[in-house]
Amino acid sequence: MIELYHNGMSTCSQKVRITLAEKGREFKSHHFNLRARDQHNPDYIALNPNGVVPTIVHEGKVIYESAVIDEYLDTVFPNPSLRPQAPYERAKMRIWVKQLDEGLHAASATISACIAFRYQFMEGKTSKQLKKTLDGYVDPNKRARMTENVLRGVDSAFFKPAIQRIVKMLDDMEATLSDGLWLAGNSYSLADVAFTPYVNRVVHLQQDWLLDNRPQIRDWFERICARPSFKTALVDWFIADFISLMREKGLENREGVKSIVGEN
Ligand SMILES: N[C@@H](CCC(=O)N[C@@H](CS)C(=O)NCC(=O)O)C(=O)O
């Protein structure tokens, strides 16, 4: 049995749950409350020194980093395969996936925090309690970024570059999907798995107008949503309060995002 330490709304956890669902694998859930900082508990840091979700434990072995977990799962449960067999397509799949760890995940997290999640961080906290929460981030870069994002919201210095990075993601996806149905060749792969939560986040934050002139992504996302794994791995784990907060604040900030995108 696989044990999964995760959170319903966490994009990185969603990547791993999609892979598990595509492979028809059940798991024992350890569902973390990220706002209560379950992920910073010393017992968990002993499993994952980065203090983030997801982590899996399989046959007594601990594995973290969602991209690494997904490749591990595809190796130990090879059917159906989620990695292209051809070396070039497999390389393309990895190039998609690695971008997430090179700033794209951080951009998505920044937008989510600046527009919506900052309100959850601040709710009912004194400034001292808020500081303690933000100081809990293990990675100093993330600590600095999230402190600015939570305190300053859409006025954070990280907000505009994050929007620009997400727009680039959408442009890259649109261009690739104009040549084929999936991101890395002719079949659904870990690249499609990995990007599903990030396109879904754009939608949850009410910025799906960004898809209006990107018909290939719309078509891709419709096919993604029609897969049973979308319900099992994402919809069934959505947290209603998070969705309604993203909807309310996303709508409030639509014009602001439009003006940043229009500057390009
Ligand atoms: N590179 C890591 C990133 C993991 C990550 O940032 N997880 C977020 C949720 S998507 C998290 O745990 N955030 C809470 C925190 O940093 O305290 C991965 O892909 O697993």
Side-chain angles (χ1 to χ4, degrees):
M1 175 58 88
I2 297 158
E3 296 194 46
L4 175 65
Y5 295 79
H6 66 132
N7 169 268
M9 299 305 303
S10 136
T11 44
C12 302
S13 304
Q14 290 170 347
K15 278 164 72 178
V16 170
R17 288 200 305 269
I18 296 170
T19 301
L20 287 165
E22 288 285 339
K23 290 175 178 293
R25 292 281 151 183
E26 307 231 313
F27 57 87
K28 180 173 173 203
S29 167
H30 299 275
H31 192 262
F32 275 13
N33 179 342
L34 299 181
R35 300 295 172 260
R37 299 172 56 230
D38 290 352
Q39 73 280 19
H40 300 158
N41 184 307
D43 288 346
Y44 181 66
I45 302 260
L47 288 183
N48 182 333
N50 301 326
V52 292
V53 289
T55 299
I56 65 163
V57 182
H58 179 232
E59 295 176 344
K61 293 173 285 246
V62 180
I63 302 142
Y64 50 86
E65 283 300 319
S66 58
V68 176
I69 297 172
D70 274 357
E71 289 228 21
Y72 174 86
L73 292 173
D74 199 49
T75 306
V76 291
F77 307 116
N79 294 312
S81 171
L82 294 176
R83 283 175 296 180
Q85 295 305 310
Y88 181 55
E89 273 68 37
R90 188 169 285 207
K92 284 202 286 193
M93 178 211 93
R94 290 209 170 107
I95 286 169
W96 276 109
V97 170
K98 86 193 277 284
Q99 294 178 48
L100 291 167
D101 287 326
E102 293 169 340
L104 189 44
H105 170 75
S108 174
T110 286
I111 294 171
S112 306
C114 291
I115 291 180
F117 295 154
R118 65 187 294 250
Y119 297 97
Q120 296 175 330
F121 278 83
M122 294 188 297
E123 195 181 358
K125 286 202 187 78
T126 62
S127 51
K128 206 170 157 193
Q129 288 164 330
L130 181 59
K131 184 174 184 319
K132 191 170 174 230
T133 298
L134 294 167
D135 285 350
Y137 284 108
V138 176
D139 172 12
N141 293 325
K142 189 170 187 176
R143 193 183 310 139
R145 190 177 70 242
M146 284 302 288
T147 300
E148 163 96 358
N149 291 342
V150 169
L151 296 182
R152 301 192 58 212
V154 294
D155 294 323
S156 159
F158 296 98
F159 186 64
K160 186 172 156 184
I163 295 284
Q164 290 165 337
R165 182 65 188 91
I166 294 295
V167 169
K168 180 180 175 346
M169 171 190 92
L170 296 174
D171 285 342
D172 291 346
M173 289 181 72
E174 183 68 11
T176 297
L177 293 168
S178 304
D179 288 338
L181 284 182
W182 304 106
L183 288 175
N186 296 328
S187 53
Y188 177 83
S189 77
L190 290 181
D192 303 289
V193 170
F195 278 73
T196 295
Y198 297 91
V199 173
N200 186 61
R201 180 55 57 86
V202 169
V203 174
H204 273 167
L205 286 167
Q206 306 299 312
Q207 308 305 326
D208 45 337
W209 59 272
L210 284 164
L211 305 187
D212 288 349
N213 58 349
R214 295 181 175 90
Q216 306 301 336
I217 303 183
R218 269 212 191 276
D219 178 70
W220 173 87
F221 195 56
E222 271 173 28
R223 281 180 281 118
I224 292 278
C225 291
R227 297 177 82 83
S229 64
F230 189 81
K231 179 177 183 306
T232 318
L234 272 74
V235 179
D236 288 353
W237 289 95
F238 285 162
I239 302 171
D241 288 354
F242 282 58
I243 307 268
S244 56
L245 179 66
M246 284 192 278
R247 183 178 303 123
E248 181 198 335
K249 299 296 176 189
L251 285 173
E252 274 176 34
N253 284 285
R254 220 182 229 178
E255 292 312 311
V257 175
K258 280 188 180 174
S259 72
I260 291 174
V261 175
E263 282 173 25
N264 293 331

